[in-house]
Amino acid sequence: MFSAGLKGLLAWTWLGMKWALLLLLLWETCIFGQVLWWRTHNPDQTSFMRARAASLQSQRRPPLMPHPWVPYQGIPGSLKQAVVAAEDSHFMTHHGFDWEGIRQAYRRDLRRHRFVAGGSTLTQQLAKNLFLSERRSLWRKGQETLITVMLEATWSKRRILEVYLNTIEWGEGVFGCAAAAQHYFHEPVRDLTPMQSARLASMISRPRFYDVHGNSPRLQDKTDRIENRRNQVAIPD
């Protein structure tokens, strides 16, 4: 009796595992299909945009600013260089993961005895923004890793940077370089000066904070450092 019951339990457990694996495979296939679609089609919204829009609506605050798409050739080189210099200086040479940056972040976390920095590349940030949420978990990190591999395997560096610059958060309800240029400087993104580009790049790490605290001395220091090393990084043609 016991043996038969145990066999039945094991059979149901195995069946459940097979269904879970099948559902996971279907989920990852759907994500990969979306990655392939966005290789040549521009996303209207990202998962992170939808989450921020819902949050603003629940707080009865103004909705997201309009964020028109700017093609890669319409984005000034100074902004591309500044963002790469600020967020991922090895963007052109890695395959989605900056292992040296990850090691350095791990050492910082050990010193502070808490998880703070993750050494995320532009591709990892884009993977998270396109499909995932802000909540930290092992599941989310695993998904981010897998989507990063998908992006690097199917998109060019030029496409990754183009989509990143058009979807990254730059303030409260501000997404994409066109909206950021209008919000902070009241001009088209194509007219940004190198110093304005460096300032926008310096805000990416804490966009909503710097949207309110734009006169922070720390922000100006970051802007100056980014401008000084902007020409030392490579960007896609």
Side-chain angles (χ1 to χ4, degrees):
M1 179 76 70
F2 178 77
S3 178
L6 181 60
K7 287 181 179 178
L9 178 61
L10 290 175
W12 278 105
T13 301
W14 176 241
L15 181 62
M17 290 174 63
K18 287 197 292 186
W19 273 107
L21 184 60
L22 178 60
L23 290 174
L24 179 61
L25 182 61
L26 288 173
W27 172 252
E28 301 302 345
T29 300
C30 289
I31 290 180
F32 187 57
Q34 189 70 73
V35 167
L36 292 178
W37 175 258
W38 279 338
R39 181 173 57 177
T40 54
H41 296 77
N42 300 329
D44 295 325
Q45 275 197 332
T46 67
S47 176
F48 191 62
M49 285 182 189
R50 288 191 292 272
R52 289 299 304 147
S55 177
L56 291 172
Q57 184 178 27
S58 68
Q59 299 173 51
R60 300 184 182 278
R61 302 184 67 177
L64 302 185
M65 283 184 61
H67 44 275
W69 194 271
V70 184
Y72 187 82
Q73 63 271 20
I75 302 172
S78 62
L79 182 60
K80 299 168 191 172
Q81 289 176 316
V83 169
V84 170
E87 294 295 306
D88 187 1
S89 59
H90 300 119
F91 175 64
M92 292 297 294
T93 56
H94 65 63
H95 298 288
F97 306 96
D98 182 358
W99 298 111
E100 180 57 33
I102 292 172
R103 282 194 291 270
Q104 291 177 4
Y106 178 69
R107 295 191 192 103
R108 287 196 296 269
D109 292 343
L110 285 179
R111 287 197 301 269
R112 299 173 185 178
H113 303 290
R114 60 193 177 100
F115 182 78
V116 178
S120 293
T121 63
L122 291 185
T123 316
Q124 287 175 280
Q125 293 179 45
L126 180 59
K128 179 188 71 175
N129 292 339
L130 285 174
F131 293 99
L132 306 173
S133 69
E134 282 189 289
R135 288 176 294 183
R136 297 189 179 204
S137 67
L138 289 176
W139 164 257
R140 199 214 74 178
K141 196 63 181 177
Q143 279 295 108
E144 177 190 302
T145 299
L146 184 56
I147 297 168
T148 297
V149 172
M150 293 179 186
L151 291 171
E152 286 282 342
T154 58
W155 291 17
S156 65
K157 290 288 187 179
R158 176 187 173 110
R159 181 59 175 169
I160 291 171
L161 186 55
E162 177 187 3
V163 177
Y164 180 93
L165 290 170
N166 277 283
T167 57
I168 192 69
E169 185 182 30
W170 249 305
E172 190 68 81
V174 183
F175 284 86
C177 56
Q182 185 60 43
H183 179 66
Y184 293 108
F185 305 114
H186 309 290
E187 59 186 30
V189 67
R190 65 175 179 272
D191 293 335
L192 289 176
T193 66
M195 189 56 72
Q196 288 171 335
S197 294
R199 186 171 182 84
L200 288 181
S202 70
M203 301 176 71
I204 291 176
S205 60
R206 301 182 68 186
R208 278 170 271 163
F209 175 84
Y210 288 128
D211 192 357
V212 178
H213 301 90
N215 295 323
S216 165
R218 184 176 181 183
L219 180 63
Q220 187 57 54
D221 289 342
K222 289 178 64 177
T223 299
D224 293 338
R225 289 198 302 272
I226 291 169
E227 173 58 18
N228 288 336
R229 67 172 185 264
R230 179 176 58 80
N231 290 318
Q232 299 174 19
V233 299
I235 59 172
D237 294 331

